[in-house]
Amino acid sequence: MPVQVLQRLPVQAGIQDLPVRALDRVMQGYRHILCNLHTSPFLTHLGFFPEQVSLSVAHTLVGPYTSGMEDWERLLALPVVTLRTQLVPRDFRALEERWWASTIRGGLGRALRFLLCRCRERSHLPGCVFARLFAPAAEEGGDSGMLPPWRLTVNVADSHLQANFRLFGEATEFTEAFLLALESAAFRGLGRQRFRVTVLGKDETAFERLAPDRWDSNLTLELKSPVRLQERGTIITQAPSFSQVFASAQRKVRLAARSWCGVELSFPQQQMYMARHVTVASASVRWVEMGRYSQRQQRFMRLGGLQGALKFAGEWSFAWPWLRFLPALGLGKLTTMGFGEVAWEPTPEA
């Protein structure tokens, strides 16, 4: 839905100043208005107008399986939107100590479900847009190996939060829905605090432009937020090897291609053998644990991951087509909960 449409809605400018009891009416009003905007791809994918199909989304998600470079081209051409937002506490109190990315994800999910989900049962109906966007594995009859088409990173400052969303493929059609859901969740309260939301920027690009196509320096991987890597069902709690990082990277890229483009990228198995010959020249990592309250399980949980830096040595250029996208997709599990933020840093030759 064009941003101009939301800007013309009379409630948009004043949503931050409404009393709490009026918020439900505002959200109901948004939903009613959205249901009558026949030209919006946002509504098309709510399922109200199945006869209208967004060609850009159809191109992204539907089509025959191809092979070789055609598969890569579809992934590289995938539209991507990055949203940068700032959340400032309304009461100007110091921020609570918690894993804020998990808290924001929980509030965002409840608001998005209200806006996008038409299911009346515990399980989602086939084609539920909320299930496809927020929890694709929960779609009835869906593939459990599906990747949500978005991720979240949160940086905590003394007086505010900076929450950055990256939306991929179909999710880019719902940019305004994500912003509205975030504003609603922040207004209702995240944890025990309510926030004002400011949009700092919005960038649109293609997946290919998220990472350099070549890397001429040595490799140093910075683990900026806790990274949860798993091998054979066991969480890795020590510095991972290059082959473990590479295995996770190629799985994540192939899963993204399958989930968002409907294609299967081929993977030469001999590359795993080659990866075993790339060594970790130095490692400075530590295990960090975060606390979060699970609404679904109704209990407090602790989740951990690795933070620090890894420097690799050896012939790794064969792996770069997969490794280049780690900063865009995140490394490991729970990337919609703020885990797995990484960056490649250039390092001088020894």
Side-chain angles (χ1 to χ4, degrees):
M1 177 172 48
V3 176
Q4 295 86 344
V5 174
L6 281 180
Q7 290 175 340
R8 288 200 300 268
L9 298 179
V11 295
Q12 174 69 9
I15 190 171
Q16 297 276 9
D17 303 316
L18 290 173
V20 175
R21 288 181 297 178
L23 183 61
D24 285 337
R25 294 184 181 180
V26 171
M27 296 290 283
Q28 291 282 1
Y30 267 114
R31 195 171 187 178
H32 174 75
I33 293 171
L34 292 175
C35 291
N36 290 280
L37 293 175
H38 291 248
T39 59
S40 171
F42 182 15
L43 285 192
T44 299
H45 292 278
L46 284 177
F48 291 106
F49 309 107
E51 71 279 5
Q52 298 182 5
V53 178
S54 167
L55 294 180
S56 62
V57 175
H59 174 74
T60 300
L61 298 178
V62 182
Y65 283 77
T66 56
S67 60
M69 285 304 299
E70 291 183 1
D71 294 346
W72 276 101
E73 288 171 359
R74 292 189 65 181
L75 178 62
L76 296 177
L78 195 74
V80 180
V81 170
T82 302
L83 297 172
R84 301 186 306 279
T85 67
Q86 185 180 83
L87 285 72
V88 179
R90 286 172 169 266
D91 54 11
F92 300 103
R93 288 187 294 125
L95 293 171
E96 299 174 11
E97 193 168 331
R98 61 170 62 232
W99 184 237
W100 280 104
S102 173
T103 304
I104 292 174
R105 181 187 183 275
L108 181 78
R110 288 187 290 274
L112 273 178
R113 183 163 191 161
F114 176 84
L115 283 173
L116 302 178
C117 183
R118 298 182 297 119
C119 308
R120 297 292 182 265
E121 306 296 331
R122 282 181 174 269
S123 59
H124 294 283
L125 297 173
C128 174
V129 69
F130 170 76
R132 289 206 312 273
L133 290 179
F134 198 78
E139 182 176 346
E140 188 172 341
D143 187 346
S144 60
M146 300 293 281
L147 191 66
W150 65 283
R151 59 176 297 229
L152 167 67
T153 59
V154 176
N155 297 316
V156 181
D158 291 336
S159 59
H160 67 272
L161 304 171
Q162 182 164 333
N164 298 328
F165 295 86
R166 182 160 281 161
L167 313 180
F168 302 92
E170 182 185 19
T172 62
E173 301 280 356
F174 297 87
T175 301
E176 287 77 27
F178 270 83
L179 286 175
L180 177 58
L182 177 64
E183 192 168 83
S184 172
F187 181 83
R188 284 180 176 275
L190 299 170
R192 291 187 291 269
Q193 291 179 278
R194 296 168 63 210
F195 293 81
R196 293 183 182 274
V197 178
T198 302
V199 179
L200 301 179
K202 173 185 173 183
D203 302 318
E204 300 181 24
T205 187
F207 190 72
E208 181 179 18
R209 297 181 180 275
L210 295 176
D213 58 3
R214 57 180 296 171
W215 191 266
D216 296 324
S217 175
N218 286 342
L219 281 184
T220 295
L221 182 63
E222 183 183 358
L223 313 181
K224 303 178 73 172
S225 71
V227 171
R228 288 178 65 83
L229 289 175
Q230 187 171 306
E231 186 175 53
R232 298 177 183 176
T234 302
I235 296 294
I236 298 173
T237 58
Q238 304 294 328
S241 65
F242 179 83
S243 61
Q244 289 171 325
V245 172
F246 176 57
S248 179
Q250 62 87 11
R251 280 197 303 267
K252 182 64 70 74
V253 174
R254 294 172 68 197
L255 186 56
R258 180 194 311 149
S259 303
W260 307 337
C261 304
V263 297
E264 292 285 348
L265 298 180
S266 60
F267 174 67
Q269 289 297 325
Q270 64 267 27
Q271 289 188 357
M272 284 306 305
Y273 173 79
M274 298 166 66
R276 297 189 186 102
H277 295 277
V278 181
T279 61
V280 177
S282 63
S284 176
V285 299
R286 60 192 178 96
W287 181 261
V288 178
E289 285 200 343
M290 303 291 181
R292 62 179 288 264
Y293 183 79
S294 172
Q295 291 285 351
R296 184 172 60 87
Q297 300 186 37
Q298 295 294 302
R299 65 186 181 94
F300 187 81
M301 303 175 62
R302 298 198 69 83
L303 291 174
L306 295 169
Q307 276 189 280
L310 300 164
K311 181 179 178 181
F312 301 112
E315 177 49 54
W316 46 262
S317 59
F318 68 91
W320 186 246
W322 308 95
L323 297 177
R324 61 183 288 208
F325 294 113
L326 281 183
L329 296 175
L331 175 62
K333 295 180 173 295
L334 304 181
T335 54
T336 61
M337 204 179 289
F339 284 78
E341 183 183 5
V342 299
W344 291 110
E345 299 292 341
T347 55
E349 298 288 344

